Amino acid sequence: MDDDSEGLPKIPDLRIAQLKFMLMERGGGIAAWEAIVANIMDKDMAPFYEELCKEVSTKPLNIQFDRNLFDEMKKRNEEKVVELDGEIENAKKDAGEVETRSAIQRKAEYLCLIGDKDAALTEFRKTLELKPTVGQKLDIIFFYLRIGLFYLDNDLLSRNIEKAKSFIDEGGDWDRRNRLKVYQSLHCITIRDFTTAANLLLDSVATFTSYELMDYQTCIKYTVLTSVLSLDRQQLKDKVVFEGSILEVLHKLPSVRQLLFSLYNCKYHEFFQALGTIEQELKDDRYWSSHRGYYVREMRILAYKQLLQSYRSLSLDKMAAAFGVTTQFIDRELSRFIAAGRLHCKIDLVNNLVETNRPDNKNSQYQAAIKQGDLLLNRVQKLSRVVNI
């Protein structure tokens, strides 16, 4: 699983986007800047370098735009584009549509490599107009999706995921079908749709080949993090806790392993410790960073629900001891979540108890049926008046 030879080209390289995130959002400082510049120089990324320096200028970072470096890279970019344009013209004159499309795609890939987003998208659109096969269409769409993930452009991602699904339905092969699930899962994480992300990742784990996006260890990490929050206890047991392909990697992810098994084994004190570690890790992940507060809050609610569902009442002191926190902390936490309607219980401060108040599912279903019946009757009455007229 460590061999990345099966992955598509790392164009654009998402590791550079992560370095940029660390520099701009996490105070990566000179180390992050040097790592980015090394990648920029290696690939002659003049457009990306210019755009990056403009963004850096808005931050309190002591980093200067190197005009000489930019001019040198820009000159090499222009020379390469002229060379690629010549290949396109020769293909149009002396070869057929297939060769022309290949030449245009080479130019599109080069523009994508150096970070010229708009120009790259324009060239990729040209290749789609030249009647590629379904497989070739999907490979082009994967470039669109990687560009979308590089810039976290959710509009570009959502539009092209739908296109990719339609191409898959036309006859996409198994490998591309499975690869699309991984691309879509990352998009779902960025828009906080963790349930869909978990299902897509679980379907992809055993046959993962999308090394252009992330390594297998990261895939397992995302799979566990989304699954713990999204699956019920039985599903978690069947699909994650006893899943061999996940277990064989978890020893390399101690905090993720502790989070999973401490929650599953009801060791809530260890769970809170693991959750604190995970929160720090999510801060440094550009897909998760903006959602870490939501994720941690939902995980705490999940743990509270899991503990309380075993009791009709439980002392605040025992609950605090189970989570390794103070009684005052548990009191504040539960009060907030009860007021928001996230926990079905009440606090009896006189007796220092938490009393569960489970919702009556049958009663709620009955009320929903009554409400839907009323709506149906109203519509029937409106229709009858129209028919009578």
Side-chain angles (χ1 to χ4, degrees):
M1 285 292 185
D2 294 330
D3 182 12
D4 66 357
S5 61
E6 296 180 82
L8 297 178
K10 292 179 179 174
I11 302 175
D13 192 337
L14 299 181
R15 293 170 295 186
I16 297 175
Q18 175 63 25
L19 288 170
K20 178 183 174 183
F21 169 78
M22 293 299 293
L23 174 71
M24 301 296 291
E25 305 297 334
R26 300 297 302 141
I30 194 65
W33 174 250
E34 289 176 351
I36 295 175
V37 171
N39 279 277
I40 287 172
M41 293 173 65
D42 182 57
K43 298 175 175 66
D44 287 330
M45 300 175 69
F48 179 75
Y49 178 69
E50 183 178 30
E51 173 191 315
L52 177 63
C53 288
K54 288 178 181 177
E55 293 183 39
V56 166
S57 66
T58 65
K59 300 282 185 178
L61 300 169
N62 188 24
I63 294 172
Q64 301 297 321
F65 178 68
D66 188 333
R67 170 60 65 179
N68 291 332
L69 173 63
F70 173 74
D71 289 341
E72 290 172 6
M73 293 192 297
K74 186 177 180 181
K75 181 181 178 182
R76 288 192 288 270
N77 291 164
E78 291 171 346
E79 290 171 353
K80 183 66 176 178
V81 169
V82 169
E83 177 188 330
L84 292 168
D85 283 338
E87 292 178 6
I88 293 170
E89 291 303 315
N90 291 335
K92 287 179 178 178
K93 291 178 183 177
D94 305 326
E97 193 172 81
V98 173
E99 290 77 9
T100 301
R101 185 179 63 248
S102 296
I104 294 173
Q105 181 156 338
R106 285 195 294 275
K107 180 182 178 182
E109 290 181 17
Y110 179 72
L111 293 169
C112 186
L113 176 71
I114 64 175
D116 195 340
K117 177 185 175 183
D118 293 336
L121 292 175
T122 299
E123 295 302 317
F124 279 125
R125 276 194 290 271
K126 292 178 182 178
T127 64
L128 286 173
E129 293 169 359
L130 294 175
K131 300 178 182 178
T133 65
V134 172
Q136 290 168 340
K137 287 178 183 177
L138 282 165
D139 289 341
I140 294 167
I141 293 298
F142 285 137
F143 272 107
Y144 275 89
L145 295 178
R146 288 198 294 280
I147 292 171
L149 288 170
F150 188 94
Y151 293 97
L152 292 183
D153 185 337
N154 284 321
D155 180 59
L156 182 65
L157 284 166
S158 57
R159 284 189 286 109
N160 284 284
I161 284 171
E162 292 307 312
K163 286 182 183 178
K165 287 179 180 178
S166 67
F167 291 149
I168 289 288
D169 291 339
E170 289 179 22
D173 59 36
W174 170 88
D175 178 70
R176 292 183 175 94
R177 186 184 299 270
N178 193 63
R179 194 179 297 275
L180 177 60
K181 291 179 181 178
V182 184
Y183 280 76
Q184 188 180 355
S185 71
L186 289 183
H187 173 53
C188 288
I189 290 173
T190 65
I191 60 174
R192 204 179 284 180
D193 185 358
F194 297 135
T195 300
T196 303
N199 291 325
L200 290 167
L201 286 167
L202 286 167
D203 286 345
S204 308
V205 161
T207 53
F208 177 81
T209 57
S210 301
Y211 297 99
E212 69 277 9
L213 300 183
M214 55 187 165
D215 58 33
Y216 187 59
Q217 187 170 312
T218 303
C219 175
I220 294 298
K221 178 178 180 178
Y222 290 176
T223 302
V224 175
L225 291 179
T226 53
S227 297
V228 168
L229 183 59
S230 305
L231 304 183
D232 63 36
R233 188 173 175 82
Q234 186 61 47
Q235 290 176 321
L236 193 67
K237 175 184 175 182
D238 296 339
K239 297 182 178 181
V240 181
V241 174
F242 292 108
E243 173 56 44
S245 56
I246 292 176
L247 292 176
E248 68 183 13
V249 178
L250 275 183
H251 70 278
K252 300 177 183 177
L253 301 164
S255 58
V256 177
R257 187 181 189 282
Q258 184 181 355
L259 183 79
L260 171 64
F261 286 103
S262 60
L263 181 64
Y264 182 75
N265 295 321
C266 304
K267 296 181 179 179
Y268 300 110
H269 179 52
E270 294 179 11
F271 170 77
F272 259 30
Q273 292 176 337
L275 190 59
T277 304
I278 290 293
E279 182 178 12
Q280 296 306 310
E281 293 178 9
L282 296 184
K283 283 183 181 179
D284 293 336
D285 189 310
R286 68 193 190 95
Y287 299 124
W288 286 87
S289 182
S290 61
H291 309 302
R292 68 183 186 277
Y294 170 86
Y295 183 82
V296 170
R297 182 176 67 251
E298 293 300 310
M299 288 297 292
R300 292 207 305 266
I301 292 172
L302 180 63
Y304 295 146
K305 284 181 177 179
Q306 181 171 291
L307 175 62
L308 290 171
Q309 71 182 3
S310 302
Y311 300 92
R312 293 190 65 84
S313 64
L314 179 67
S315 74
L316 281 171
D317 292 337
K318 286 186 178 180
M319 190 169 181
F323 284 96
V325 296
T326 65
T327 304
Q328 292 77 14
F329 177 85
I330 282 290
D331 184 21
R332 288 196 304 271
E333 281 270 282
L334 295 184
S335 298
R336 183 158 60 97
F337 294 138
I338 291 169
R342 302 303 309 280
L343 290 176
H344 300 288
C345 59
K346 60 183 180 179
I347 300 174
D348 180 355
L349 286 178
V350 175
N351 296 307
N352 203 37
L353 292 174
V354 181
E355 298 178 353
T356 58
N357 180 25
R358 297 184 183 86
D360 186 343
N361 290 330
K362 287 187 178 180
N363 187 52
S364 63
Q365 290 170 359
Y366 173 76
Q367 294 297 331
I370 293 295
K371 184 176 181 181
Q372 291 170 359
D374 287 341
L375 290 173
L376 179 60
L377 286 173
N378 288 336
R379 289 173 181 172
V380 170
Q381 289 173 350
K382 290 178 180 179
L383 181 60
S384 65
R385 286 197 292 270
V386 172
V387 171
N388 290 335
I389 290 172

